[in-house]
C-alpha cells in the first residue's frame, strides 16, 4: 500500500474513529486514502477550527484528538491550536502534508518549515524523511501524546512519502507502556502526612493534573478523609463533588472572594497537579505567604519552578493521594471557611429589566442535565461561566485556560458533540469571540450537529474594555463592537434557528426553547455594556487586594 493508506490504517489501530481537517495539495494523497477509510473525517471550515474541534473531542472524551492540514498556510493555521493544546496539556496528534522532498528547501509553492515553526508549541514534532520510518513515527506520536504530561505531537509528512509504496504487513499495536514515573519515597509520603496532620488551616489547591491522572475519585476520597477545604483552577472545575460544603470555588484573578481569602490565610497549601500560574497567584511573593507547601505533580519541570515546596513529590496522583491521606484537626478552620462562603456569596439581586449575565448563567446551569458539556470562549463571559455555572467533572467544562484563545468555544463544541453525541453540548461565547471562528457554523450545518450556542453580547470586547476602564483612564481604544452583525440572521443563513432576548422576563421561555429544540440553536443574549466581572485582582496586587463591585 501507499504511505497515505498506512497513515489511515495506523489511525484505525489506535482506535481513532473521528478526525478533523481541511484538504490541500500537499496532503491530498492522505485525503484520497480517507475516501475509502472507515475513519470518519469532519470537514471544518478553517484549519484552526479543525484543530480546536479535535481538542474539544479529546478534552470531553479523554481520547487523543486528531487533525489534518496541508502545507504552508494550512500548517501555519494550526499553530495557535497547537499552542492551546500544549498549554492545557491536551493529547493531540496533528498531521500535516509537506511539499515533496525533491523541492524542499527551494521555496516551493506552499513550503514552510513546519518542523521549526511547531517546535515551541508542541510536545514533540517529527519530519518523516523515509517511508520506512512512517509507521513507527505514527505509533510513537500516539504514545508521546498520551504519556506523562499529555500534549500535542505533530507529524510533517512530505507528499512523496505519502505516495511511496510500503509493505502491507503492519506491526501490531502493543499496549501503551506503563508510566515510568518514579515511585514516591516512603519518607516523602511520611513527611506529607505529617504536614497535613499538623496543619491547623490546610487547603487543597487543585489543578487540571488531577483529572488528567484519572484521579477524581481518589481526590474526593482524600478531601473527605482529610476534611480539608479546597479551591480549584479554571481547568480543574468539576473535580470536587458539587455537594462538598468546603469547596470554595475557583481562585485567582477572578476567583471567589472566599477562595482567595482562605488561600491567603492558610498555613498549609496542598498543590495537586497545578502550576502556580500568574492568573492564580497574583503577586507571587505574596501568595499564601504563611503557608507550607506540599506539591504533587507528574512533570518535574513544575517542581520548584515558581514556588519552592516544603515537600515535593513526583508521581502518580492515583497512587499518591490515598497514601498521604491524613485526618486533620481543623474544625475552627472549616467553620471559618464556611463563614467566608456565606459572607462573600454571590448576589443576584441586579436592578432593572436588563439581563444580568451571572444570573442568566446560573439559571442556565440549573436547567442543564448533569452530563452537559459547556465549551467556553475567552473574555468576561468565560469568567462568568466559571463563577456561576457548576460542573460535575472537568470534562464537562472546556475553556481555553493557558493560552486564552478567543474563537475556541464553537469548534470545541463541535468536537465535544461528536465525542459525546447523547449529551447536551453548549457553546457559550461573547460577541467578540464568536466572530473569531464563526465559519464553523458551516460545519454544524453540514453534519446537522445539535449544538446549542449562547452569544452573550455587550457590543464590546468586554474584558479589554474593563481593563481600559479600570487601568487606562477609560481610554476605550478599539473595543467598540456596536457594528456587530445580526447574529440570529447570521445563524439563519446556516439554517440554524435562533432568538434574541434583552429582558430578564424573557429568559425562562428562551432557555426552554433552546434546550428543547431538537437541532442546533443560537440564543442571542443582549446585556449591558457597563456590566463587569467581579471580583478582580489588579495586576501586580496580592490576591486579598481584590476589587469588588460593591467597592466601586
Amino acid at each position: 500500500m501507499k504511505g497515505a493508506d498506512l497513515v489511515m490504517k495506523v489511525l484505525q489501530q489506535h482506535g481513532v474513529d473521528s478526525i478533523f481537517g481541511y484538504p490541500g495539495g500537499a496532503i491530498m494523497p492522505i485525503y484520497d486514502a480517507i475516501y475509502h477509510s472507515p475513519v470518519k473525517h469532519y470537514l471544518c471550515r478553517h484549519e484552526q477550527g479543525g484543530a480546536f474541534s479535535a481538542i474539544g473531542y479529546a478534552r470531553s472524551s479523554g481520547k487523543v484528538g486528531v487533525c489534518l492540514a496541508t502545507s504552508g498556510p494550512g500548517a501555519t493555521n494550526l499553530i495557535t491550536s497547537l499552542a492551546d493544546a500544549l498549554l492545557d496539556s491536551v493529547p493531540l496528534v496533528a498531521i500535516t502534508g509537506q511539499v515533496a522532498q525533491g523541492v524542499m528547501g527551494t521555496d516551493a509553492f506552499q513550503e514552510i518549515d513546519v518542523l521549526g515553526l511547531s517546535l515551541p508549541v508542541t510536545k514533540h514534532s517529527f519530519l518523516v524523511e523515509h517511508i520506512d520510518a512512517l509507521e513507527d513515527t505514527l505509533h510513537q506520536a500516539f504514545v508521546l501524546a498520551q504519556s506523562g504530561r499529555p500534549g500535542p505531537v505533530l507529524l510533517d509528512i512530505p507528499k512523496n512519502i505519502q505516495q511511496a509504496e510500503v509493505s502491507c504487513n503492519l506491526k501490531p499495536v502493543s499496549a501503551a507502556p506503563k508510566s515510568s514515573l518514579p515511585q514516591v519515597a516512603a519518607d516523602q509520603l511520611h513527611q506529607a502526612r505529617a504536614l497535613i496532620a499538623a496543619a491547623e488551616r490546610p487547603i487543597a489547591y487543585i489543578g487540571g493534573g488531577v483529572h488528567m491522572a484519572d484521579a477524581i475519585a481518589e481526590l474526593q476520597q482524600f478531601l473527605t478523609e482529610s476534611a480539608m477545604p479546597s479551591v480549584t483552577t479554571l481547568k480543574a472545575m468539576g473535580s470536587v463533588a458539587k455537594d462538598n460544603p468546603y469547596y470554595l470555588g475557583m481562585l485567582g484573578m477572578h476567583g471567589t472572594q472566599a477562595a482567595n481569602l482562605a488561600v491567603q490565610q492558610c498555613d498549609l497549601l496542598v498543590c495537586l497537579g497545578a502550576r502556580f500560574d500568574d492568573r492564580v497567584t497574583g503577586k507571587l511573593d505574596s501568595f499564601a505567604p504563611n503557608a507550607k507547601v506540599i506539591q504533587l505533580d507528574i512533570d518535574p519541570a513544575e517542581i520548584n519552578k515558581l514556588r519552592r515546596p516544603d515537600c515535593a513529590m513526583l508521581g502518580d496522583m492515583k497512587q499518591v493521594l490515598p497514601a498521604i491521606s491524613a485526618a486533620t484537626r481543623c474544625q475552627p478552620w472549616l467553620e471559618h471557611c464556611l463563614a467566608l462562603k456565606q459572607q462573600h456569596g454571590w448576589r443576584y439581586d441586579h436592578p432593572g429589566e436588563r439581563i444580568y449575565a451571572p444570573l442568566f448563567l446560573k439559571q442556565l446551569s440549573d436547567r442543564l442535565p448533569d452530563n452537559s458539556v459547556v465549551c467556553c470562549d475567552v473574555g468576561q463571559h468565560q469568567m462568568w461561566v466559571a463563577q456561576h455555572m457548576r460542573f460535575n467533572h472537568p470534562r464537562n467544562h472546556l475553556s481555553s485556560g493557558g493560552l486564552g484563545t478567543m474563537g475556541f468555544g464553537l469548534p470545541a463544541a463541535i468536537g465535544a458533540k461528536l465525542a459525546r453525541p447523547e449529551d447536551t453540548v453548549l457553546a457559550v461565547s461573547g460577541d467578540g469571540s464568536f466572530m473569531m471562528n464563526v465559519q464553523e457554523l458551516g460545519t454544524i450545518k453540514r453534519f446537522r450537529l445539535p449544538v446549542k450556542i449562547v452569544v452573550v453580547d455587550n457590543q464590546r470586547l468586554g474584558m479589554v474594555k474593563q481593563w481600559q476602564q479600570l487601568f487606562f483612564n477609560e481610554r476605550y481604544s478599539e473595543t467598540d463592537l456596536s457594528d456587530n452583525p445580526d447574529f440570529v440572521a447570521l445563524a439563519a443563513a446556516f439554517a440554524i434557528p435562533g432568538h434574541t432576548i434583552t429582558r430578564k422576563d424573557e429568559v425562562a421561555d428562551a432557555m426552554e426553547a433552546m434546550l428543547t429544540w431538537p437541532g442546533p440553536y443560537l440564543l442571542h443574549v443582549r446585556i449591558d455594556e457597563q456590566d463587569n466581572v467581579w471580583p478582580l485582582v489588579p495586576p501586580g496586587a496580592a490576591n486579598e487586594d481584590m476589587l469588588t463591585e460593591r467597592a466601586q
Side-chain angles (χ1 to χ4, degrees):
M1 57 184 166
K2 294 182 178 180
D5 300 307
L6 183 146
V7 170
M8 299 311 299
K9 295 290 186 183
V10 172
L11 294 185
Q12 287 179 253
Q13 285 184 303
H14 284 276
V16 175
D17 55 17
S18 301
I19 56 178
F20 305 86
Y22 202 94
I27 202 168
M28 203 173 294
I30 289 179
Y31 271 82
D32 189 57
I34 289 172
Y35 192 80
H36 295 292
S37 172
V39 177
K40 179 65 175 175
H41 177 274
Y42 293 93
L43 176 68
C44 296
R45 301 308 172 95
H46 190 284
E47 290 87 357
Q48 185 186 107
F52 279 148
S53 293
I55 289 171
Y57 182 95
R59 287 184 59 174
S60 63
S61 67
K63 300 178 182 178
V64 178
V66 178
C67 60
L68 308 178
T70 193
S71 63
T76 61
N77 282 343
L78 291 182
I79 295 299
T80 297
S81 303
L82 292 172
D84 190 278
L86 181 71
L87 291 179
D88 282 345
S89 303
V90 181
L92 183 74
V93 171
I95 299 173
T96 53
Q98 182 55 275
V99 300
Q101 287 172 299
V103 296
M104 286 178 66
T106 68
D107 295 328
F109 176 67
Q110 292 190 335
E111 181 189 3
I112 198 75
D113 179 10
V114 178
L115 179 68
L117 194 65
S118 64
L119 284 174
V121 295
T122 56
K123 187 176 178 181
H124 197 85
S125 293
F126 297 94
L127 171 63
V128 181
E129 298 184 279
H130 196 280
I131 185 63
D132 291 340
L134 179 58
E135 183 180 357
D136 286 343
T137 305
L138 284 161
H139 291 310
Q140 192 175 356
F142 277 88
V143 171
L144 284 170
Q146 300 172 84
S147 60
R149 182 175 183 168
V153 178
L154 180 135
L155 287 84
D156 196 34
I157 309 177
K159 190 171 183 178
N160 63 296
I161 299 290
Q162 299 172 46
Q163 295 170 315
E165 297 290 333
V166 65
S167 168
C168 294
N169 298 319
L170 293 179
K171 301 172 185 176
V173 175
S174 56
K178 295 292 184 181
S179 171
S180 58
L181 284 172
Q183 292 293 314
V184 177
D187 61 335
Q188 290 177 302
L189 299 174
H190 175 76
Q191 182 186 11
R193 287 194 298 268
L195 285 170
I196 292 171
E200 295 181 356
R201 301 185 306 280
I203 198 161
Y205 158 36
I206 301 160
V210 174
H211 81 85
M212 285 189 288
D214 191 27
I216 297 293
E218 288 78 7
L219 169 70
Q220 295 182 359
Q221 182 179 1
F222 170 80
L223 294 177
T224 299
E225 292 179 355
S226 64
M228 186 182 300
S230 59
V231 297
T232 63
T233 65
L234 179 71
K235 194 159 179 277
M237 293 187 64
S239 300
V240 181
K242 279 184 175 183
D243 59 356
N244 186 322
Y246 304 115
Y247 172 57
L248 304 179
M250 183 178 74
L251 81 162
M253 179 174 283
H254 290 291
T256 69
Q257 289 180 266
N260 281 340
L261 292 173
V263 169
Q264 293 302 95
Q265 296 166 8
C266 74
D267 65 358
L268 176 67
L269 191 67
V270 184
C271 177
L272 304 173
R275 57 190 179 92
F276 294 93
D277 177 75
D278 61 289
R279 286 295 175 105
V280 162
T281 65
K283 186 179 180 183
L284 183 62
D285 59 7
S286 298
F287 179 65
N290 301 311
K292 294 183 178 180
V293 175
I294 298 171
Q295 186 174 9
L296 172 57
D297 210 286
I298 197 174
D299 186 351
E302 294 299 339
I303 304 295
N304 292 322
K305 187 174 80 173
L306 293 169
R307 176 77 175 251
R308 182 171 294 278
D310 298 89
C311 176
M313 294 176 287
L314 192 67
D316 184 347
M317 197 85 63
K318 286 179 73 69
Q319 296 180 5
V320 177
L321 276 176
I324 64 171
S325 182
T328 59
R329 299 178 181 177
C330 56
Q331 190 60 35
W333 172 241
L334 293 175
E335 292 172 1
H336 174 69
C337 288
L338 288 177
L340 286 176
K341 280 184 70 173
Q342 184 173 10
Q343 179 183 353
H344 300 290
W346 299 116
R347 290 177 54 177
Y348 297 106
D349 53 340
H350 188 263
E353 296 182 351
R354 300 197 70 167
I355 295 169
Y356 182 49
L359 176 59
F360 170 86
L361 291 166
K362 179 186 183 299
Q363 292 170 323
L364 180 58
S365 182
D366 291 342
R367 293 183 71 116
L368 288 174
D370 280 345
N371 61 348
S372 300
V373 183
V374 176
C375 303
C376 209
D377 264 301
V378 170
Q380 288 178 315
H381 66 281
Q382 178 192 29
M383 294 297 99
W384 282 323
V385 165
Q387 291 173 339
H388 303 285
M389 299 188 79
R390 293 292 173 261
F391 305 95
N392 64 1
H393 197 282
R395 287 180 185 162
N396 295 340
H397 173 237
L398 310 187
S399 191
S400 176
L403 196 63
T405 315
M406 295 174 69
F408 173 87
L410 184 63
I414 289 171
K417 188 62 186 178
L418 290 166
R420 293 166 55 176
E422 301 304 316
D423 294 338
T424 299
V425 175
L426 186 77
V428 178
S429 189
D431 50 314
S433 289
F434 185 62
M435 294 296 288
M436 288 281 190
N437 273 315
V438 69
Q439 77 285 338
E440 298 310 325
L441 292 175
T443 307
I444 289 174
K445 176 186 177 182
R446 168 171 289 206
F447 297 105
R448 301 176 182 176
L449 300 175
V451 172
K452 313 301 181 183
I453 305 163
V454 173
V455 179
V456 180
D457 177 12
N458 60 3
Q459 300 195 337
R460 298 293 184 274
L461 285 175
M463 190 63 80
V464 181
K465 186 229 65 170
Q466 180 171 345
W467 278 54
Q468 289 172 337
Q469 177 183 344
L470 296 172
F471 310 121
F472 291 86
N473 295 320
E474 299 185 6
R475 294 189 295 272
Y476 298 118
S477 177
E478 303 303 322
T479 50
D480 187 333
L481 301 181
S482 56
D483 56 353
N484 278 330
D486 182 333
F487 291 118
V488 172
L490 182 61
F494 292 91
I496 299 171
H499 183 60
T500 297
I501 56 175
T502 60
R503 302 191 318 272
K504 292 175 181 176
D505 60 6
E506 299 175 298
V507 167
D509 289 344
M511 283 186 186
E512 180 71 14
M514 175 181 67
L515 295 175
T516 57
W517 185 257
Y521 193 97
L522 184 143
L523 181 58
H524 176 214
V525 183
R526 293 288 301 271
I527 66 169
D528 193 326
E529 67 186 62
Q530 297 301 320
D531 289 347
N532 284 328
V533 180
W534 307 106
L536 165 65
V537 178
N543 278 358
E544 69 263 29
D545 297 326
M546 294 167 279
L547 300 178
T548 66
E549 185 173 21
R550 299 170 202 179
Q552 299 308 300

